[in-house]
Amino acid sequence: MPWHARLALDYSAENQRSVARFRHDGPLRILQSLYPEGDAVCHNVLVHPPGGLVGGDTLDITITGAPGSHGLVTTPGATRFYRSEGEAAIQHTQIKLEAGARLEWLPLEALCYSGCRAENRLRMELAPGAELLGWDVSALGLPGADRPFERGSLLQHIEVPGVWLERGRIDATDLRLLQSPIGLAGHRCIASLFFVSGTPIPRARREALLDIARALADAHPLAATAGATGPHAEVLVLRVLAPVVEPAMQLLRQVWQAWRTALWQMPAGAPRIWAM
C-alpha cells in the first residue's frame, strides 16, 4: 500500500530564540531542534523512515516562518524515487514566510532511479522583508553503480507565485534533451541554489552576490557548466550541471556559505548530519 505522509513545521521567535513546532501524519518526522549557532537559528533534520518513495507515495511538507524567526532545514540523506509501474510518487513542499523571517531549505539530493515516475514540487511564498536561501538537486540514475536512467520520468516544479516559475519534465527516452549539447549534454545531475527575497533586491547587493557566485564557479572544475543569474528582481539563481552529485553539491555549498556571510554576516558551517 502507498505511504501518505504530512508534516507541518512552524518557526517562531520567542524571547530572542527561534523555536520550531511541528505536527505530522504518517512516516515523516523532525528530529530535535539543535542550536549549533546559538539561539538565533534553529536547525532541524527532516526524516522519512521508509527511506524512499514508490508509486502512489506522497510527502506533503509545509513550513512557515513567523517574523524574526530563522530556521534551517536539511535531511540526513537523499530522497529516493524508486521504480514505479503505476502512479507517480510525489514530494510537495510549501514554504510561507512572514515579514522578517528567514529560512534555509537545504535538503540533500533527490535520486531518480530508472523506472521511477517522480514529481518534486516546491512552492515558496515570501512576505515583504522575508528572505530564503535554498537549493534543489536532482540526480538521474546511479552512474557510479552502472545503473543508468533508462526508463521513467521526473517532473520538476519550482515556484514563487507571480515572480518565478520553473517547470519541466525529464523523460528517460528523450535522448535529445539528455544527450544534446543544448540540453543536459550527458550530465545526470541538475542543481540550483537560489536566494529569494520578499522585496526587490537592491542593485548593489544583487551584483555583489552574483559576483561572489561567479567567482567561485569560475574557480571550480564545473566552471563550464555553471552560471549565476537574476531571473527576477527578487530572485538570484546559481545553476549547475554535473555528471554526478558530489561536485555539484560541493559548489553549491561553497556559494551557500559565501552568500550566507554576505547576506546576514553569519558564517556557515555544514550541519553535523551531513558528516554522518
Side-chain angles (χ1 to χ4, degrees), residues 16 19 32 36 48 59 62 89 93 107-108 126 158-159 170 206 217 228 236 238 254 262 271:
Q16 299 183 324
V19 176
Q32 71 180 91
H48 179 228
L59 298 183
T62 301
T93 304
L108 297 185
L126 280 72
I158 305 175
E159 179 181 11
I170 299 174
R206 181 185 190 85
L236 299 176
L238 170 72
Q254 289 177 0

Side-chain angles (χ1 to χ4, degrees), residues 114-244:
S114 186
C116 74
R117 294 188 60 198
E119 295 187 12
N120 197 10
R121 304 171 182 265
L122 173 62
R123 179 184 173 98
M124 300 166 280
E125 298 181 39
L126 280 72
E131 295 183 339
L132 184 150
L133 259 176
W135 63 39
D136 185 274
V137 182
S138 297
L140 306 173
L142 303 174
D146 196 25
R147 296 167 65 182
F149 188 63
E150 297 177 326
R151 296 186 301 113
S153 66
L154 165 66
L155 174 66
Q156 191 74 23
H157 181 110
I158 305 175
E159 179 181 11
V160 180
V163 172
W164 181 42
L165 173 63
E166 294 200 356
R167 179 181 172 89
R169 184 182 297 277
I170 299 174
D171 192 295
T173 61
D174 188 352
L175 297 182
R176 286 182 296 180
L177 172 63
L178 292 171
Q179 299 300 124
S180 168
I182 60 172
L184 301 188
H187 295 288
R188 292 298 178 262
C189 178
I190 310 153
S192 298
L193 170 70
F194 38 84
F195 171 63
V196 182
S197 173
T199 49
I201 306 165
R203 182 169 181 174
R205 192 186 199 200
R206 181 185 190 85
E207 293 302 321
L209 293 172
L210 287 173
D211 287 346
I212 289 170
R214 289 165 180 165
L216 289 170
D218 287 347
H220 195 273
L222 295 177
T225 55
T229 186
H232 188 275
E234 299 174 12
V235 179
L236 299 176
V237 185
L238 170 72
R239 308 175 193 277
V240 183
L241 286 177
V244 292

Side-chain angles (χ1 to χ4, degrees), residues 97-121:
L97 302 182
E98 297 180 37
R102 293 174 179 170
L103 183 75
E104 295 171 80
W105 172 246
L106 306 172
L108 297 185
E109 67 274 9
L111 290 179
C112 299
Y113 284 62
S114 186
C116 74
R117 294 188 60 198
E119 295 187 12
N120 197 10
R121 304 171 182 265

Side-chain angles (χ1 to χ4, degrees), residues 1-7 24-29 48 50 52-61 87-91:
M1 294 181 63
W3 293 99
H4 299 282
R6 296 178 178 84
L7 174 74
H24 66 88
D25 178 19
L28 200 55
R29 300 286 192 277
H48 179 228
L53 293 86
V54 297
D57 288 354
T58 61
L59 298 183
D60 195 344
I61 303 162
E87 300 177 69
I90 301 171
Q91 177 170 276

